Each structure stands twice: as C-alpha cells, then as structure tokens.
C-alpha cells in the first residue's frame, strides 16, 4: 500500500455513469480532483432539490483497490467504507464497489501540471482541505458558526485577471459564479495557468 497516489489516478475526473441494482445516473455532475496526496469530491444533482454530496481526505491505493478516507463529509458516516476496484488505463476508468454493488465510469478531463494540496485546522478557520491541479481547484471546509456546523465543498477554475479564481459548482448554491478571493476576503494570485 502506498500513501503517494500513483500518477494514473492523479487528475480532475468527471463521473459519466453510475449504475446500481436500483438506478442508472448519467445526470449528476460529479467532480473528483485527485492530487498526489489528497482529494476533494463534489456531487451536484441535476435537480437542486436533492442534496449535494461532497467529501475530502486521503486516497489509499493498494494495487487496483482504492479506499477513499473521508476526513470531511457533507453526509453522515456510512456503515461501509468507500472502497472500489478500478479497471482501465489512461483517461477512462471503471470503478466497481467492493462492499456494495455499483459501477461508476470516470473520465479524466485534466491532468499534468503542478498539483498542490493543503490541510488546515484552527478554531477560527475551521477544518479544511484544498487541492489544485493546473487551473482547477477544489476545497472542503467545515466550520462551527455559533451552535451550528457548516460544511462547504466547492469546485472552480483559475483564469486571468482580478477575479480570476471562479467558483463553478458548490453545495452552497449562492457561491456559484463568485470569486474565491471575495469568498475568503483575500487577494488571490493572478497570471499564469500553472
């Protein structure tokens, strides 16, 4: 087993298909950004009444068996670990459930370039995981706000200009289309597609 993720899994992946004994789903937008160390996964249903799913953590790889350790998760814990057996090479892979019957088809839409990952924890900032690959970024953030807890998972694209870091999808619908710098009230670096 390795803690550093093999390059064959590093990239921005989009799920094209989910099949279980009960359903077939080709409409939910699913983004999985995997760096060489950490990942963030966001699942946005086409009908916004349904809840988004999102989680982040470390991926453990043991041959073709992948285990997604969910350090932060929008959903309550599952009774089963998130473990899949991967088949295929290159930019198209299939995942088959180990503890539950399912099949997912993943297509890598971006790879190469620098990948970066960051974990933070603090009373004010909460807990979070940030990952970036080339022009794409994702994060998961868990905060306590008074008596409430809030978890946010977002996906975005880095471009050019002052408001270059744009949030494209999020479980917080009001963040979509906004600038990451405005979201966190910080100056984001500009230029270069990294």
């Amino acid at each position: 087993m390795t803690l550093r993720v093999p390059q064959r899994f590093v990239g921005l992946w989009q799920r094209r298909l989910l099949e279980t004994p009960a359903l077939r789903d080709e409409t939910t937008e699913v983004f999985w950004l995997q760096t060489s160390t950490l990942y963030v996964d966001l699942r946005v249903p086409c009908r916004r009444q349904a809840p988004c799913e999102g989680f982040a953590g470390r991926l453990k790889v043991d041959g073709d068996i992948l285990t997604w350790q969910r350090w932060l998760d929008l959903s309550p814990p599952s009774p089963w670990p998130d473990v899949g057996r991967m088949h295929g090479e290159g930019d198209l892979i299939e995942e088959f459930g180990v503890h539950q019957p399912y099949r997912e088809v993943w297509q890598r839409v971006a790879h190469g370039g620098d990948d970066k990952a960051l974990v933070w924890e603090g009373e004010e900032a909460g807990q979070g995981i940030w990952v970036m690959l080339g022009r794409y970024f994702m994060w998961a953030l868990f905060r306590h706000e008074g008596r409430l807890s809030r978890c946010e998972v977002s996906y975005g694209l880095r471009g050019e200009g002052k408001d270059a870091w744009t949030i494209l999808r999020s479980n917080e619908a009001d963040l979509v289309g906004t600038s990451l710098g405005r979201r966190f009230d910080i100056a984001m670096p500009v230029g270069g597609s990294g």
Side-chain angles (χ1 to χ4, degrees):
M1 192 175 320
T2 178
L3 292 179
R4 196 145 184 92
V5 173
Q7 281 298 306
R8 70 180 276 220
F9 299 118
V10 172
L12 173 64
W13 298 87
Q14 271 193 275
R15 191 179 75 190
R16 300 302 183 196
L17 173 68
L18 166 65
E19 289 180 324
T20 72
L23 70 90
R24 178 182 175 93
D25 180 5
E26 297 176 272
T27 60
T28 300
E29 289 188 288
V30 181
F31 304 95
W32 160 34
L33 201 159
Q34 178 66 58
T35 69
S36 55
T37 55
L38 301 173
Y39 75 88
V40 176
D41 186 302
L42 174 64
R43 297 159 187 234
V44 181
C46 65
R47 295 182 308 278
R48 287 302 295 201
Q49 309 90 298
C52 292
E53 294 179 53
F55 46 94
R58 182 177 297 280
L59 179 69
K60 285 191 163 185
V61 179
D62 188 4
D64 64 349
I65 302 292
L66 275 58
T67 303
W68 285 265
Q69 296 178 323
R70 296 184 180 200
W71 295 351
L72 301 172
D73 198 338
L74 290 175
S75 303
S78 168
W80 302 280
D82 190 353
V83 182
R85 180 179 302 277
M86 307 305 266
H87 292 278
E89 291 289 334
D91 294 337
L92 195 65
I93 56 176
E94 292 180 285
E95 175 188 344
F96 295 89
V98 170
H99 299 290
Q100 295 178 290
Y102 70 84
R103 172 180 170 252
E104 290 179 298
V105 176
W106 294 95
Q107 180 178 13
R108 183 164 39 194
V109 295
H111 58 87
D114 290 339
D115 72 85
K116 296 175 177 59
L118 174 69
V119 177
W120 72 89
E121 186 169 1
E123 204 164 305
E124 290 287 320
Q127 299 172 297
I129 294 176
W130 164 277
V131 294
M132 188 170 84
L133 178 78
R135 295 179 57 212
Y136 298 93
F137 63 87
M138 293 183 76
W139 80 83
L141 174 64
F142 183 82
R143 286 191 202 197
H144 296 289
E145 297 176 353
R147 295 183 180 182
L148 300 174
S149 294
R150 181 176 175 182
C151 192
E152 170 190 325
V153 181
S154 295
Y155 154 74
L157 180 65
R158 180 174 60 153
E160 300 290 331
K162 185 173 184 251
D163 292 328
W165 300 64
T166 304
I167 299 167
L168 301 176
R169 300 288 183 277
S170 179
N171 68 305
E172 299 282 344
D174 59 327
L175 295 179
V176 174
T178 65
S179 159
L180 186 63
R182 292 175 198 249
R183 164 70 182 90
F184 290 108
D185 195 25
I186 54 174
M188 301 301 294
V190 295
S193 59

